[in-house]
Amino acid sequence: MQRAAPAPALGDAVAHQTETFAEGLRLDCGTLLRPLKVAYRTYGRLNESRSNAILICHALTGDQYVAERHPVTGKPGWWEIMVGPGRPIDTNRFFVICANVLGGCMGSSGPPSEMTDAEGRPQGRPWGTAFPPVTIRDMVRAQAMLIERLGIPKLFSVIGGSMGGMQVLEWAALFPGRVFSAIPIATAAWHSAQNIAFHEIGRQAIHADPNFHGGEYWRHGTIPARGLAVARMTAHITYLSEQALARKFGRRLRTGPMLTFDNDLFEVESYLQHQGSTFVQRFDANSYLTITRAMDFFDLAAEHGGSLGEAFRATPVRFCVISFSSDWLFPTAMSREIVRALNAAAANVSFVEITSDKGHDAFLLDEPDLFRTVSGFLKGAAERWSRG
Amino acid sequence: MADGEPNLRSGRPLSDRLDLRLIAEMVEPRSRVLDIGCGDGALLDILVHERGVDGRGIEIDMREVAAAVAQGLAVIHADADTDLAFYPDAAFDYVILSRTLQATERPREVLAQMLRIGRRAIVSFPNFGHWRVRLALVTTGRMPRTPALDRPWYDTPNIHLCTISDFFDLCAMDGYVVERWLGVDDQGKRTPWRRNRRLANLFAEQGLFLLRRR
């Protein structure tokens, strides 16, 4: 595993497509973040009635490069299998928008972006750990400003998995009049204690890295690569299922069956190490800390007096909730809680638990039932939307 | 569900479900409807596209749920025995239970929930009082197999079978008004005995009821 990679240059190594909001955004923590920058990508064309826009919300370590080659890694977009011409989210029909989340590291305001003072004046250094804590709701507010800037009065749909699903729920709760339909996938209305615990392991690994320097690694020209890689490795296990790991690697050894303490004895070890080391090339440690915290804070029921049903009271939004049978990070029971709350609110809701042995990651993989569900739901919603 | 594939509940092809037409005729256009045990959404599809209904469905079989949602219908994977409690009072104009009552754990509670969350309930069920059922039990001494009840006893989802007369009794006991009722044959056609309870109980293969609270 690599020890210390060169520090990324304020996250500006790639020229991202960005909108800047000089007025800034008042965060849930009270801080006015000024200016606010939101980096994003769009696919397809906005129709004349501005009624075919779909916002895609990415997961913890995703970004706006949903359906095109990633500018840093050169790999295909993270949801190319779902988004594109003729795909379930068909860019021949829909205008697809994906924004880098607030607190991220791919061009939106976040720890690696340049720090500003209360008047919005640049400070010539990255925010780093001084970046204010953000919430899922803050992320959604930032996206809403982008959507307004793009001249879209109402989104046809908001779609996302995992943390993206949290944003989808928050969109529906916060802006019910600006969303026609919502597809929260493999997600929950609050982050469970178990999930917070896993995040804490990742954060501790980052903090323990000698290259972390209390979050001021940018001053030292280092990055806490080992800590960030360990965080990613731990998280990655939670994204998979026992069956998926067993099928992929079993107990296969890389070398002969020798009892040693060498690295990479089992294939699964080297796989995880590869996952960790490629991750540090494209992700910022302070962003990881900021965003995992935002997920941990998330509790939509608490935002509405402890009642999830209250969050969706009299909602006009059409929902399609999707879970996966082998997802133990965001298990079906969590989706069922959302569905029950939506039923209590007499909302229009579809709910499918897709049978898959691929764990939480199933939402990113080739799952024909997922594609059928998403495209079928969008088709039904489009029929309804056109009837007015 | 693909053409010709059997309906999981009845074991017969969907195209035979003419009783769905009779149910659809009972529903006011543009009302709010919940279809419990909606299968792949055959009835919802009729209601939504021909009667402009705001239709929702509940189905316990995940394959059928996926098929219905893929058709653009609002269907959730849920269990009628446990999940109706989460709906608010009078959320729907009609709550429909077609050929499913006999497969529920607690049919009486399900019916009570239906008439709590809906202003009206539409229920259809296979009539265990049909003469062929009676005759089969008497002559063979074995659990009857009929077109409406075509699974062997060890492999049937039907656990609470009743007759049309039994159902009238339950409605009277629990205070439901029978606004309309029909005896239906296995093809889902109205039978000529629909005016007479005793004859319907003997000759109808299914009962179809429109209920409301007293």
Side-chain angles (χ1 to χ4, degrees), chain A residues 336 340 347 349-351 376 383, chain B residues 49 56 70 74-77 83:
Chain A
R336 223 175 267 286
R340 285 174 173 166
V349 52
S350 297
F351 166 51
E383 257 177 47
Chain B
H49 291 107
R56 326 273 174 84
V75 173
I76 68 168
H77 179 238
D83 288 294

Side-chain angles (χ1 to χ4, degrees), chain A residues 141-173:
Chain A
R141 287 195 187 105
Q143 290 165 355
M145 289 168 78
L146 172 69
I147 296 306
E148 198 176 347
R149 170 81 52 96
L150 295 177
I152 297 159
K154 187 168 187 169
L155 290 162
F156 172 66
S157 200
V158 183
I159 306 172
S162 200
M163 183 182 83
M166 293 175 167
Q167 292 162 45
V168 171
L169 295 172
E170 190 69 79
W171 257 99

Side-chain angles (χ1 to χ4, degrees), chain A residues 173-198:
Chain A
L174 202 54
F175 302 113
R178 294 172 64 180
V179 183
F180 181 71
S181 65
I183 312 184
I185 305 171
T187 194
W190 54 82
H191 212 221
S192 71
Q194 177 176 294
N195 290 356
I196 295 170
F198 278 120

